[in-house]
Amino acid sequence: MAEHDHGPASAADLPSLDRLLGMSEFQAALADFGRTQVTAALRRDLDECRVAALAGTLTRDTLSPAAFGARVTGALSARNRATLRPVFNLTGTVLHTNLGRALLPEVAVEAVLQALTMPANLEFDLSTGGRGDRDDLIAPLLCELTGAEAATVVNNNAAAVLLMLATLAKRREVVVSRGELVEIGGAFRIPDIMTHAGAKLVEVGTTNRTHALDYRNAIGEKTALLMKVHCSNYEVTGFTKSVDVAEVVQIARPHGVPVAVDLGSGTLVPLERWGLPHETTVQETIAAGADLVTFSGDKLLGGPQAGMIVGRKDLIAKIKKHPLKRALRVGKLTLAALEPVLRLYRDPDHLTQRLTTLRLLTRARADMAAQAERIAPMLAKSLGDAYTVTAAPMVSQIGSGALPVEQLPSYGLAIMPAGGGKRGGGRALARLEAALRALPYPVIGRIADQTLWLDLRCLEANDEARLALQFAELRA
């Protein structure tokens, strides 16, 4: 058979499966994917060729061993490619929920690797030789950093709220301001979580104004908690009124009712020391008298996905005994990652160098501008005359329900179809966006104002070359 014979072929020309498997073109695939997968893939390819032969569309050049080998290897490579893949987050949202939120610092990565490859004292007390409590690995650090009496950890903040309510408010009432009945991503709503926890929601105030008297009038014999929910993913402005935690605590104390605060994207340091807007810290909330505070691990904290509950020792003890605690507990990998992240907060002076999330949030605009100037010509060369690529100022956001209306000055690449994005410009941008997502390391940007924006805030220096090298593969 001629190597480049494009003439028609029949089903009789198909080589046997066993003959192909014995050829050199398949040895690498057999070594990489195993005989079972290669055999199945080759059988599917032969079946497709047989169908093409019956339809009169089969050509001889598709029947060479090299052609079979290339098709089978390509199919198996695609089939075995990881579905959870690294991407370039150029959306301008640092804590992007759909892209995995906080990136772990190197110390956390090293700790996770060690936990993956060696046994560890997850529930083993090294001092007594008896069984231990996995919360003990992390609770002392959380108490030290927050000022709380006790702490426990579950798999995310939604779980923390659910567990807290199920433990302390089942068949009882929880008082919440109407202006704080939040919905976060994935249609998670505070009223719904209360229903599933078996608690009865008592709404007080109005959407924009809640007064101290509203809380006082709502307290009754069945009141289990007064609850404050941090409005982390929206802001109510204008004619507004809310009651701060300290005042709610003063209202609750005479009645012996605990005050719980869901901080959502909790932070352990005052962000304004680095020029970022103020976000209420866990320490401030505990100092204001809150009995329980819940917050996330993978948002402003900069750690792995987890939900922390800190506060009064007696209440935490009740929460830890609830059957849901075991169902919602975290594994050794989360604890391994969380501990070194928390330890970084003992030295806040070096946080911007050591904590990835804070480093990205505080990047100098001049650094991003310099990156953009270096990368823009390379992308422009790959795209040719079809698009214009400009290094341009833009704005980032923190994301994941943290400081929702605050914007961070940023820099990146602004891409427009040639001709200023007139007729057909939207389709051209959509094609380019799809092409960027199809790269070996997918590039995720955002389209707005007839422009594709690639914000470079989250592009670390050691990833710049990898991003630029991919541009040669673009087929927009």
Side-chain angles (χ1 to χ4, degrees), residues 57-88:
T57 59
L58 184 67
T59 57
R60 291 185 177 277
D61 58 346
T62 64
L63 302 184
S64 70
F68 275 111
R71 291 196 299 272
V72 168
T73 299
L76 289 176
S77 296
R79 183 172 185 261
N80 286 277
R81 185 171 61 186
T83 52
L84 183 65
R85 297 166 57 194
V87 304
F88 285 108

Side-chain angles (χ1 to χ4, degrees), residues 75-395:
L76 289 176
S77 296
R79 183 172 185 261
N80 286 277
R81 185 171 61 186
T83 52
L84 183 65
R85 297 166 57 194
V87 304
F88 285 108
N89 175 14
L90 305 188
T91 63
T93 301
V94 177
L95 298 173
H96 199 300
T97 298
N98 304 127
L99 301 182
R101 293 184 179 164
L103 303 180
L104 294 180
E106 191 60 35
V107 289
V109 174
E110 292 170 359
V112 170
L113 180 61
Q114 181 170 283
L116 280 166
T117 55
M118 294 185 66
N121 60 319
L122 178 64
E123 289 186 353
F124 185 85
D125 190 327
L126 293 173
S127 61
T128 66
R131 180 166 183 164
D133 182 341
R134 66 182 65 193
D135 276 346
D136 291 344
L137 300 171
I138 215 79
L141 255 176
L142 280 169
C143 293
E144 172 192 331
L145 295 169
T146 65
E149 294 177 355
T152 187
V153 184
V154 289
N155 57 14
N156 61 23
N157 188 55
V161 175
L162 174 66
L163 178 60
M164 177 182 68
L165 293 172
T167 303
L168 304 176
K170 189 173 183 179
R171 300 189 186 93
R172 300 184 68 195
E173 297 174 351
V174 180
V175 179
V176 184
S177 166
R178 283 189 175 89
E180 298 174 4
L181 296 177
V182 304
E183 176 181 320
I184 62 173
F188 170 87
R189 295 178 173 183
I190 288 294
D192 293 340
I193 209 73
M194 286 195 181
T195 298
H196 288 288
K200 180 181 178 181
L201 169 64
V202 176
E203 303 176 26
V204 297
T206 62
T207 303
N208 60 317
R209 292 180 69 81
T210 301
H211 303 270
L213 187 61
D214 295 320
Y215 287 99
R216 289 193 184 95
N217 290 340
I219 296 176
E221 292 182 359
K222 294 185 178 181
T223 304
L225 293 170
L226 301 190
M227 186 172 174
K228 291 280 293 176
V229 182
H230 185 47
C231 302
S232 54
N233 60 355
Y234 68 96
E235 184 172 292
V236 180
T237 61
F239 185 57
T240 63
K241 168 67 178 174
S242 62
V243 185
D244 63 29
V245 173
E247 190 171 0
V248 173
V249 168
Q250 291 177 357
I251 295 167
R253 283 289 182 266
H255 301 276
V257 176
V259 173
V261 180
D262 173 16
L263 276 185
S265 181
T267 179
L268 298 179
V269 287
L271 298 177
E272 57 268 30
R273 70 178 291 177
W274 296 286
L276 296 170
H278 178 73
E279 175 87 341
T280 303
T281 67
V282 181
Q283 298 94 317
E284 289 171 340
T285 310
I286 290 291
D291 299 288
L292 290 170
V293 181
T294 67
F295 57 101
S296 296
D298 57 347
K299 296 180 182 179
L300 285 173
L301 185 68
Q305 177 181 301
M308 268 67 74
I309 312 175
V310 300
R312 273 172 42 187
K313 188 174 182 179
D314 60 325
L315 298 180
I316 295 293
K318 289 181 180 179
I319 288 169
K320 286 167 63 69
K321 290 178 182 177
H322 195 282
L324 270 179
K325 174 61 167 70
R326 183 174 179 86
L328 301 174
R329 71 182 182 180
V330 295
K332 66 177 181 179
L333 301 186
T334 299
L335 292 168
L338 185 57
E339 182 183 2
V341 170
L342 290 174
R343 283 202 306 266
L344 292 179
Y345 282 88
R346 286 173 166 168
D347 181 16
D349 293 336
H350 293 97
L351 266 181
T352 53
Q353 292 85 44
R354 297 171 180 171
L355 188 65
T356 308
T357 294
L358 194 57
R359 183 172 68 246
L360 296 177
L361 291 175
T362 58
R363 281 194 71 190
R365 196 180 201 184
D367 292 342
M368 294 176 275
Q371 273 188 322
E373 294 292 349
R374 290 191 297 269
I375 296 172
M378 292 182 275
L379 180 56
K381 181 179 178 181
S382 295
L383 297 181
D385 297 333
Y387 300 88
T388 61
V389 181
T390 308
M394 52 193 69
V395 290

